[in-house]
Amino acid sequence: MNPVSSVVRGVGHHVPSKIVTNMDLSRLMDTSDEWIIERTGIRERRFVEEGTTTSDLAVPAVRMACARAGVEPQDCDMIIAATLSPDYFFPGIGTVLQNKLGMKNVPALDIRAQCSGLVYGLATADAYLRAGLAKRILLVCSEVQSPILDKTNRGRDMAVLFGDGAGALVIEAQSCPEGQRPTGKNTSRGVIDSLMGSDGSGAQLLFLKAPGSTTVGFMTQQSLDSGDIHPKMDGRVVFKNAVTRMLEAASTVLERNGLQPSDIDLVLPHQANLRINEAVREKLGISEDKVFNNIQKYGNTTAATIPICMSEAHEQGKIKEGQLVMTLAFGAGFTWGCNLIRW
Ligand code: UT7
C-alpha cells in the first residue's frame, strides 16, 4: 500500500472589519504611533464588535478554506482547534465549531499551544492522517483577544500588540505518487517534517493568571483589581527566546532534511514583532522576499497569525504548488515549532 502524505487542500482566513489604528490606541493610553511602529512594525489591528465570539470569527475562515478545497465542513472527519481565547473557559471551541458548522459527531481536539497553535495543529493533523486515523482534517486557529487586553496605561505594553482574527486549513491524506513520501528533495506534496518544542520554565513570562487554579477562589475580586485577568509579559526575555528558538527550530528542520536556507521558497513566521522576524531572517540568511509578514495590518493574532499569512500569500500568488514552505512559531508556554511543507 502506498504511504500517505498530508496535503493542504484549502486555506482561508477572516478578520473583523473594525480597524483600530495606533492613533486610536494613543487616545486610550500613553503610547504613540511612532513607538509602536518602531518597536513592533504594527500600524493597525482588527478588533471584534462586542458580542462576537472566537468561534463566530472562525466560521467564515472555515467556509473560505472549505470553498477553496471544494469540500463542505461535513466532509471533514476530525476538527483540531487552536486558541488561547476560547468562547468559554471550557469546553474548547472545537466542539462549539462542530455544532455551528453542522459537522458529524467527529473528534474535536483543542490545542493549547498559544502562538504555536498552527504548528502544533498541523503536526498533530499530519500524525493522525499518516496513521490512517483520519482522512480529512479541519484545522482552525481563531482568537478574540481584544476584550482581555488592559487598554489603560497599566497594560499599554501588551495592549498595543494584539488583535483578533482567524484562519483555517483543510488537510487531506493523499496517496504518495510512486510510493514516495515528500522529502524536500522530491516533488511529492505534503507535510515533510514538523518540530514541536516547549520550555515550561517560561510559563509565567507570558501568561494570563486568572481564572486559574493558582488563584485561590479561581477568580476573585482581587483578580480583577490587580489586573490578573489581563495577559502579562516580560517582553525583552520573550523577544530573546523567540529569536533563539525560532532560529533553532528552522536550523534543525533544515539540517535533518539535508536542506539549505536558500532551498526554502517561502517562510510564514508567527507575527509577534517585525524585529523578531527580521532577526531570524537575517541570521538564517534568507532574502526579504521569501518571508511573508502582515503584522503591519493585523498585529499579533496569536494562533491565527500563520494561517492568515498562508491564506493571504495564497491570494497574492506567493504560494504556488510545488514550492517548499516553512512555518515558524514561538509563543507562551513557552512553545515553539516549525513545519516544512511541499505545497
Ligand atoms: O506572541 C508571543 C511572543 N511575543 C513576543 O515575542 C513579543 C516579544 N517582545 C517584544 O516584542 C518587545 O519586547 C515589545 C514590543 C513588547 C517591547 O519592545 P522593547 O523594545 O523590548 O521595549 P521595552 O519593553 O524594553 O520597553 C521600552 C520602554 C519602557 O520604558 P523605559 O523603562 O525605557 O522608560 C516601557 O515602559 O517603552 C515603554 N513602553 C511603551 N512606551 C510607549 C512599553 N510599552 C509602551 C507603549 N508605548 N505601548
Side-chain angles (χ1 to χ4, degrees), residues 31 35 39 115 156-157 235-236 238 270 272-273 275-276 300:
T31 191
W35 191 94
R39 303 287 175 130
C115 301
R156 68 175 181 168
D157 59 327
R236 285 181 207 183
V238 173
H270 171 50
N273 190 318
R275 290 188 294 137
I276 292 177
N300 182 349

Side-chain angles (χ1 to χ4, degrees), residues 161-180:
L161 304 177
F162 295 92
D164 303 332
L169 272 63
V170 174
I171 311 152
E172 249 175 46
Q174 183 178 291
S175 179
C176 298
E178 293 161 30
Q180 285 194 336

Side-chain angles (χ1 to χ4, degrees), residues 33-99:
D33 189 37
E34 297 71 38
W35 191 94
I36 302 171
I37 291 175
E38 192 193 309
R39 303 287 175 130
T40 70
I42 300 166
R43 291 175 181 272
E44 57 190 42
R45 72 284 295 139
R46 305 294 180 99
F47 282 1
V48 293
E49 296 296 342
E50 210 175 286
T52 302
T53 68
T54 305
S55 63
D56 291 339
L57 210 56
V59 169
V62 170
R63 300 252 179 247
M64 187 187 281
C66 285
R68 286 174 175 170
V71 300
E72 295 294 332
Q74 298 89 311
D75 300 328
C76 297
D77 53 7
M78 182 169 184
I79 178 163
I80 300 177
T83 186
L84 61 62
S85 51
D87 294 19
Y88 309 111
F89 188 84
F90 77 85
I93 60 165
T95 56
V96 178
L97 281 167
Q98 177 277 331
N99 183 42

